[in-house]
């Protein structure tokens, strides 16, 4: 064994007689292939004669490169630089860059036909060569000759493919045909960037960590997304289309995270038939990133895309984007908002614009919301009560709640429907004032609120309104009831004269009865008989239509008739006593379909002078 090692050392010290001058960027395997061709021997036999091993030299073992440098008189640093050193499974150092087999094919014989033809003409057969960058699959043309590269058919074994001289000799017709085609190749920005990475290493930008396969995948997929194209397989993309996509992608990515963000904003705002979402808007770029997001080198791109997606798209809680949990959802769908709030989507779309004071156009365009918007809406909603729960809290009827709203004691709000909601703050204030009243004393005559209203024939709403306005006082609080019903009112409290509705508008049957001083049943009979006109009006609380007595018909009725109540009030007598006198005098009542209503024609009343005598009799 020692003798063999000595013979190898002696061989390495002996310079090779016929050698070649390497081309700039030529691979060590190409150099050995050319030296073997010049010495009329196969690369494998040449290496054996020189004490080298052809398979190991093709793989770029450092000791093999050192031996080649010694016997061929070549620069060891140059051989190392242009040697496709394997740095991992399927990963190589390509010049000053790194790449995987996705972009770099060490066994692929790709050459520039114009360069080869020129070298063959100058140096003969051993002028055939291969540069390292020609094996980078995303470079489609020669920078110097401005023609497309051509890929030769693969040889039977990988080590036969490394013998570039033999490969070109076998397929010389393919090379010549490509050289004669005269097709013009225009270098582009993407390929110029890749060459700078190969020749000078990563640039001082945010793409510096990407290896060539990742760089190619990012630019190609982003360019496809920008051009609105799907990318089912990168291996089957037309070269011209691939170059176009890569140029679009590098123009965006070379501007850094801001450029990518601006591009994603443009993709999001682009109209389309499908609902906008980051996976659909980013298209092929997201598909690529989803497959590559686990690579440490692409984390800067993942950061930008995830941050943009979280800020601009609806997210469900605990959603993961590109393998990362979303810390704080920035936007959410109304369906997610419904699940979180328990409120319907339609109601949320009315509630949120009201809380945020959005215009009609903004409200119409509202297709998603944010956690902040939803939180504000829920906080506002929690400060409201519907009429039923308000009535329960106050221990009154819902109609009395409506009365308190109309009197301004309680504030209410609507959200585009007939339903009204009361502010909880007002309800709590009213209950607190009732609870702060003095306790019911042992002396004095006090009646519970409901009983006092019944005895004095005064509405609860009116009494509470007078109390809130400070016009009546002396109220106390009992312990045997809740809400407003806990209030006890002094029996002798003066509530003043009862308000009488005025016929300055259309009146409800109840209001018309109070105005004409007649029963509500009589009002309905007069309406049905045609003495009073009516109209239908929408009830804003129930969305049902209800009947109103028209103002004009009331005026016409008053011009012709007087009711018993009006006559009794004018005569200052009890209605029942006046009714008997009118009957004795034979004053006829109004007949409404067989029913007699205590309304009299003015001419009949004047003729019998009933009112005058009633007044004189006290």
């Amino acid at each position: 064994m020692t003798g063999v090692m000595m013979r190898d050392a002696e061989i390495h010290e002996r310079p090779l007689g016929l050698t070649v001058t390497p081309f700039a960027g030529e691979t060590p395997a190409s150099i050995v292939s050319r030296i073997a061709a010049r010495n009329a021997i196969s690369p494998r036999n040449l290496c054996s004669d020189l004490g080298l091993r052809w398979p190991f030299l093709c793989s770029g073992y450092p000791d093999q490169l050192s031996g080649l440098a010694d016997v061929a008189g070549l620069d060891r640093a140059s051989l190392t630089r242009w040697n496709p050193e394997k740095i991992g499974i399927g990963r190589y150092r390509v010049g000053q860059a790194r790449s995987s087999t996705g972009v770099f094919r060490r066994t692929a014989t790709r050459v520039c036909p114009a360069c080869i033809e020129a070298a063959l003409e100058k140096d003969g057969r051993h002028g055939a060569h291969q540069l390292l960058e020609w094996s980078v699959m995303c470079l489609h043309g020669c920078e110097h000759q401005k023609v497309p590269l051509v890929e030769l058919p693969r040889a039977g074994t990988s080590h036969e493919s490394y013998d570039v001289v033999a490969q070109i000799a076998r397929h010389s017709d393919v090379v010549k045909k490509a050289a004669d085609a005269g097709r013009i190749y225009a270098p582009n920005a993407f390929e110029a960037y890749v060459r700078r990475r190969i020749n000078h290493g990563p640039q001082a930008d945010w793409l510096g960590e990407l290896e060539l396969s990742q760089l190619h995948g990012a630019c190609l997929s982003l360019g496809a997304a920008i051009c609105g194209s799907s990318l089912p397989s990168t291996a089957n993309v037309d070269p011209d289309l691939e170059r176009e996509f890569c140029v679009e992608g590098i123009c965006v990515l070379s501007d850094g995270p801001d450029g990518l963000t601006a591009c994603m904003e443009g993709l999001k705002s682009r109209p389309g038939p499908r609902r906008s979402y980051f996976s659909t808007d980013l298209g092929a770029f997201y598909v690529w990133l989803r497959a590559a997001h686990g690579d440490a080198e692409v984390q800067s791109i993942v950061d930008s895309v995830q941050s943009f997606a979280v800020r601009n798209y609806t997210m469900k809680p605990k959603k993961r984007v590109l393998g990362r949990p979303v810390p704080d959802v920035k936007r959410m769908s109304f369906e997610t908002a419904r699940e979180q709030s328990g409120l319907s989507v339609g109601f949320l779309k009315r509630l949120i614009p009201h809380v945020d004071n959005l215009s009609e156009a903004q409200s119409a365009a509202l297709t998603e919301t944010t956690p902040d918007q939803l939180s504000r809406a829920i906080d506002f909603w929690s400060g409201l009560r519907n009429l039923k729960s308000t009535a329960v809290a106050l221990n009154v009827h819902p109609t009395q709640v409506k009365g308190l709203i109309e009197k301004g004691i309680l504030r209410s709000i609507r959200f585009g429907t007939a339903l009204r909601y009361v502010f909880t703050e007002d309800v709590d204030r009213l209950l607190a004032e009732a609870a702060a009243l003095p306790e019911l004393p042992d002396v004095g005559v006090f009646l519970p609120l409901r009983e006092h209203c019944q005895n004095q024939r005064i509405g609860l709403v009116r009494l509470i309104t007078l109390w809130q306005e400070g016009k009546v006082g002396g109220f106390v609080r009992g312990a045997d009831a809740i809400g407003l019903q806990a209030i006890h009112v002094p029996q002798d409290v003066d509530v003043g004269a009862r308000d009488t509705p005025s016929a300055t508008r259309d009146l409800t049957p109840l209001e018309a009865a109070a105005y004409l001083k007649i029963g509500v049943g009589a009002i309905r009979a007069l309406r049905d008989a045609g003495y009073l006109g009516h109209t239908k009006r929408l009830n804003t609380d129930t969305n049902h239509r209800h009947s109103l007595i028209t103002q004009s018909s009331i005026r016409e009725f008053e011009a012709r008739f007087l009711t018993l109540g009006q006559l009794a009030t004018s005569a200052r007598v009890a209605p029942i006593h006046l009714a008997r006198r009118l009957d004795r005098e034979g004053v006829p009542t109004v007949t409404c379909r067989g029913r007699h209503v205590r309304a009299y024609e003015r001419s009949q009343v004047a003729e019998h002078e009933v009112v005058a005598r009633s007044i004189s009799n006290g």
Side-chain angles (χ1 to χ4, degrees):
M1 179 63 70
T2 304
V4 173
M5 292 179 63
M6 288 298 293
R7 286 196 298 274
D8 289 347
E10 292 173 357
I11 290 174
H12 290 173
E13 292 174 357
R14 191 181 311 150
L16 190 63
L18 297 176
T19 185
V20 296
T21 302
F23 291 90
E26 187 178 2
T27 64
S30 173
I31 295 172
V32 172
S33 177
R34 292 173 61 213
I35 294 175
R38 189 173 185 192
N39 288 275
I41 191 172
S42 70
R44 186 180 294 273
N45 290 336
L46 174 67
C47 289
S48 296
D49 292 345
L50 298 177
L52 304 173
R53 299 187 65 180
W54 172 242
F56 287 3
L57 192 144
C58 292
S59 298
Y61 282 39
D63 61 329
Q64 301 295 308
L65 296 182
S66 297
L68 177 62
D70 292 340
V71 299
L74 301 175
D75 179 58
R76 186 175 305 177
S78 180
L79 289 175
T80 302
R81 178 179 182 183
W82 302 113
N83 170 54
E85 178 186 359
K86 187 174 183 179
I87 57 177
I89 299 176
R91 299 173 73 86
Y92 298 90
R93 179 183 54 78
V94 182
Q96 302 298 313
R98 292 171 291 109
S99 182
S100 67
T101 53
V103 161
F104 179 72
R105 306 279 178 81
R106 191 171 59 168
T107 59
T109 308
R110 297 177 80 233
V111 297
C112 168
C115 289
I116 297 301
E117 287 295 307
L120 291 176
E121 184 178 350
K122 178 183 177 183
D123 299 326
R125 184 171 184 266
H126 63 271
H129 63 283
Q130 185 174 22
L131 305 185
L132 179 63
E133 72 171 45
W134 290 348
S135 296
V136 178
M137 308 303 289
C138 60
L139 297 177
H140 295 281
C142 176
E143 183 181 21
H144 303 292
Q145 298 291 343
K146 307 296 188 295
V147 298
L149 300 179
V150 60
E151 184 171 356
L152 304 181
R154 295 177 62 87
T157 64
S158 59
H159 295 104
E160 287 180 290
S161 298
Y162 290 131
D163 187 0
V164 64
V165 173
Q167 273 284 80
I168 290 174
R170 279 193 292 268
H171 304 289
S172 59
D173 55 335
V174 176
V175 176
K176 182 171 179 55
K177 182 178 179 181
D180 294 341
R183 184 181 174 189
I184 302 300
Y185 159 82
N188 60 40
F190 173 76
E191 293 178 346
Y193 184 86
V194 171
R195 286 193 175 92
R196 287 198 299 273
R197 292 283 293 270
I198 294 173
N199 295 325
H200 306 293
Q203 306 300 295
D205 56 29
W206 76 310
L207 302 176
E209 294 297 322
L210 301 185
E211 49 104 334
L212 296 184
S213 295
Q214 295 165 339
L215 177 67
H216 174 254
C219 293
L220 175 65
S221 59
L222 181 58
I226 293 171
C227 296
S229 174
S230 60
L231 206 62
S233 173
T234 58
N236 298 325
V237 181
D238 178 78
D240 291 336
L241 199 58
E242 178 184 350
R243 295 184 70 214
E244 178 186 350
F245 291 164
C246 287
V247 170
E248 291 284 352
I250 195 63
C251 289
V252 171
L253 294 176
S254 61
D255 287 338
D258 292 341
L260 178 57
T261 299
C263 176
M264 291 189 290
E265 289 173 350
L267 293 175
K268 182 180 185 299
S269 61
R270 190 161 54 185
R274 301 176 64 182
R275 183 176 69 89
S276 179
Y277 199 60
F278 64 89
S279 58
T280 56
D281 290 342
L282 300 184
F285 182 59
Y286 179 76
V287 172
W288 170 80
L289 197 57
R290 185 175 56 189
H293 74 271
D295 298 340
E297 298 87 347
V298 302
Q299 294 311 301
S300 56
I301 296 179
V302 172
D303 291 342
S304 293
V305 173
Q306 191 207 38
S307 176
F308 178 82
V310 171
R311 287 196 315 271
N312 294 277
Y313 292 91
T314 61
M315 295 284 173
K316 290 185 177 180
K318 300 181 181 179
K319 171 76 174 177
R320 298 179 72 88
V321 177
L322 297 176
R324 300 182 184 180
V326 177
D328 296 310
V329 174
K330 303 299 182 183
R331 305 196 70 81
M332 65 175 67
S333 67
F334 273 106
E335 185 61 28
T336 301
R338 180 193 65 79
E339 294 173 358
Q340 290 190 7
S341 66
L343 302 175
S344 70
V345 172
F347 185 75
L348 285 172
K349 288 185 176 181
R350 295 191 298 270
L351 178 61
I352 289 174
H354 174 83
V355 173
D356 286 355
N357 196 26
L358 301 182
S359 65
E360 288 188 13
Q362 290 173 321
S363 301
L366 202 62
T367 59
E368 56 190 19
T369 185
T370 67
D372 289 341
Q373 274 186 329
L374 181 61
S375 178
R376 289 193 297 271
I378 292 176
D379 289 345
F380 184 79
W381 171 246
S382 64
L384 300 176
R385 290 174 175 267
N386 60 26
L387 298 186
K388 185 175 181 180
S389 66
T390 302
V392 171
L394 295 177
N395 197 11
V396 297
H397 297 296
T399 53
Q400 292 170 328
V401 173
K402 295 177 185 177
L404 292 172
I405 292 173
E406 292 172 0
K407 294 297 184 180
I409 305 303
L410 298 175
R411 292 173 297 160
S412 68
I413 193 171
R414 286 189 175 96
F415 300 108
T417 66
L419 299 177
R420 283 191 286 183
Y421 300 93
V422 179
F423 286 85
T424 303
E425 177 185 0
D426 294 351
V427 178
D428 293 343
R429 173 187 54 77
L430 199 57
L431 291 174
E433 292 180 6
L437 292 173
E439 292 186 3
L440 182 65
D442 296 331
V443 296
V445 181
F446 293 87
L447 296 177
L449 179 64
R450 180 177 289 116
E451 185 177 341
H452 182 276
C453 291
Q454 292 172 348
N455 289 350
Q456 301 297 323
R457 303 188 67 183
I458 181 174
L460 180 145
V461 172
R462 182 180 172 219
L463 186 58
I464 294 298
T465 302
L466 292 173
W467 171 52
Q468 287 290 294
E469 292 175 349
K471 295 179 179 179
V472 296
F475 291 4
V476 296
R477 170 176 52 86
D480 56 347
I482 61 173
L484 296 182
Q485 299 303 335
I487 296 175
H488 284 59
V489 184
Q491 187 176 20
D492 58 350
V493 67
D494 182 13
V495 297
R498 186 175 181 178
D499 296 334
T500 301
S502 59
T504 56
R505 57 179 175 84
D506 295 344
L507 303 178
T508 65
L510 192 60
E511 292 172 333
Y515 176 74
L516 295 176
K517 302 185 186 304
I518 197 172
V520 68
I523 292 294
R524 293 193 178 100
L526 292 169
R527 178 198 63 189
D528 296 340
Y531 290 101
L532 293 173
H534 69 283
T535 183
K536 294 289 186 179
R537 189 71 53 83
L538 183 68
N539 186 327
T540 55
D541 287 316
T542 63
N543 266 345
H544 293 296
R545 294 188 175 275
H546 63 285
S547 179
L548 293 178
I549 307 301
T550 62
Q551 176 188 1
S552 58
S553 67
I554 293 175
R555 296 300 188 199
E556 292 175 2
F557 180 85
E558 285 185 302
R560 182 180 174 187
F561 299 98
L562 286 169
T563 65
L564 177 63
Q566 290 173 326
L567 289 171
T569 301
S570 177
R572 299 182 182 180
V573 295
I576 189 171
H577 300 313
L578 182 58
R580 290 172 181 169
R581 292 179 186 177
L582 290 170
D583 291 342
R584 286 196 299 268
E585 293 288 337
V587 181
T589 60
V590 173
T591 302
C592 301
R593 298 180 180 177
R595 175 180 175 180
H596 292 278
V597 175
R598 290 286 181 178
Y600 308 90
E601 289 200 27
R602 287 181 178 271
S603 59
Q604 294 288 341
V605 173
E607 180 179 342
H608 292 83
E609 299 180 352
V610 176
V611 176
R613 290 201 303 274
S614 297
I615 294 174
S616 63
N617 292 335

